[in-house]
Amino acid sequence: DTEVTQTPKHLVMGMTNKKSLKCEQHMGHRAMYWYKQKAKKPPELMFVYSYEKLSINESVPSRFSPECPNSSLLNLHLHALQPEDSALYLCASSRRDTSGNTEAFFGQGTRLTVV
Amino acid sequence: AQKVTQAQTEISVVEKEDVTLDCVYETRDTTYYLFWYKQPPSGELVFLIRRNSFDEQNEISGRYSWNFQKSTSSFNFTITASQVVDSAVYFCALRNYGGSQGNLIFGKGTKLSVKP
């Protein structure tokens, strides 16, 4: 089972709203990631969690707040977003071996529209 | 610096044609990983293959094959007898070894359209 599940699949929110994106995996992976993908562009890394601890924050604005409640769950809390934050948000996970992280498995993403 | 170049932005073929997607990478690391991912219109990035830098064996999986050439820093992907379901954006990616970074460096992607 190589499934990463993201909810919701689509989200429309106003600039004053607070919403959360959820990601779940049951593969026993200890590294989890949030990526942002604009149309016709490759994914861009936002955050990396390793063993439930935030290990990388790629200078993401504070209106994006990640949370890793346990080894299977990853959330992305959204507040006061801008229209330019509209994008596909992808969650991924990977296991760690002696060489570091192995291949990442991605969810289907949440298509976010900020109005 | 690490970089992945996919020079082909879009490719269009007719079903049953063979097609090769090019990937050229740059890295100063002597040990690294290369990947190919497929992204259909549904949005999910589907993992296709991982290749370690110390393993230059080419690989075949059904209609898919990969040609890794360290001498030219290339990791090309060939689909034989393409099908409409192969239509997607394909990303080549690079990651260094010993990944405290865990960061994939993606190419810009190649959009493949397979017409019936």
Side-chain angles (χ1 to χ4, degrees):
Chain A
D1 183 4
T2 57
E3 190 173 286
V4 176
T5 304
Q6 288 187 243
T7 55
K9 288 190 168 42
H10 299 274
L11 178 63
V12 179
M13 61 185 289
M15 289 189 283
T16 58
N17 291 160
K18 283 186 183 180
K19 296 285 184 184
S20 297
L21 309 185
K22 296 186 185 303
C23 174
E24 190 168 4
Q25 57 89 13
H26 295 288
M27 295 177 278
H29 291 172
R30 303 309 295 271
M32 296 186 76
Y33 314 81
W34 280 114
Y35 284 83
K36 173 182 178 179
Q37 187 178 22
K38 300 285 276 185
K40 299 188 178 183
K41 298 285 187 185
E44 296 176 358
L45 183 68
M46 299 175 72
F47 302 104
V48 178
Y49 272 83
S50 182
Y51 293 93
E52 295 92 71
K53 287 187 172 24
L54 183 65
S55 61
I56 293 177
N57 176 343
E58 292 285 350
S59 303
V60 179
S62 60
R63 57 186 184 268
F64 296 91
S65 175
E67 178 197 20
C68 191
N70 60 54
S71 59
S72 300
L73 293 174
L74 185 66
N75 298 323
L76 185 62
H77 303 298
L78 314 172
H79 173 53
L81 294 194
Q82 305 295 312
E84 58 264 29
D85 295 322
S86 298
L88 179 67
Y89 288 85
L90 291 160
C91 173
S93 69
S94 64
R95 63 181 171 83
R96 290 184 63 87
D97 62 16
T98 53
S99 67
N101 295 317
T102 61
E103 59 271 13
F105 292 93
F106 286 79
Q108 283 195 318
T110 295
R111 291 195 185 274
L112 173 68
T113 303
V114 182
V115 297
Chain B
Q2 294 182 306
K3 185 180 176 182
V4 175
T5 301
Q6 294 179 255
Q8 304 148 308
T9 306
E10 292 193 39
I11 300 175
S12 183
V13 299
V14 177
E15 214 171 14
K16 298 185 184 175
E17 283 185 31
D18 299 347
V19 59
T20 295
L21 310 182
D22 297 332
C23 174
V24 174
Y25 63 92
E26 295 174 31
T27 180
R28 290 181 182 168
D29 295 334
T30 54
T31 307
Y32 49 88
Y33 294 112
L34 294 164
F35 303 81
W36 276 96
Y37 284 89
K38 172 183 180 180
Q39 189 172 37
S42 59
E44 180 181 2
L45 273 160
V46 178
F47 166 74
L48 295 178
I49 189 170
R50 176 184 68 163
R51 173 61 67 218
N52 304 334
S53 56
F54 45 85
D55 179 5
E56 286 195 69
Q57 268 194 330
N58 291 325
E59 184 155 337
I60 297 175
S61 176
R63 295 184 297 107
Y64 295 171
S65 62
W66 291 269
N67 182 3
F68 177 33
Q69 301 231 342
K70 235 173 161 176
S71 58
T72 55
S73 297
S74 66
F75 186 42
N76 296 337
F77 173 31
T78 297
I79 301 174
T80 303
S82 59
Q83 300 177 1
V84 173
V85 294
D86 296 326
S87 297
V89 179
Y90 290 86
F91 290 99
C92 180
L94 167 72
R95 191 180 64 231
N96 64 346
Y97 186 88
S100 58
Q101 302 297 318
N103 191 0
L104 286 169
I105 309 297
F106 284 96
K108 293 187 176 181
T110 297
K111 182 178 180 181
L112 174 64
S113 298
V114 181
K115 302 190 186 310

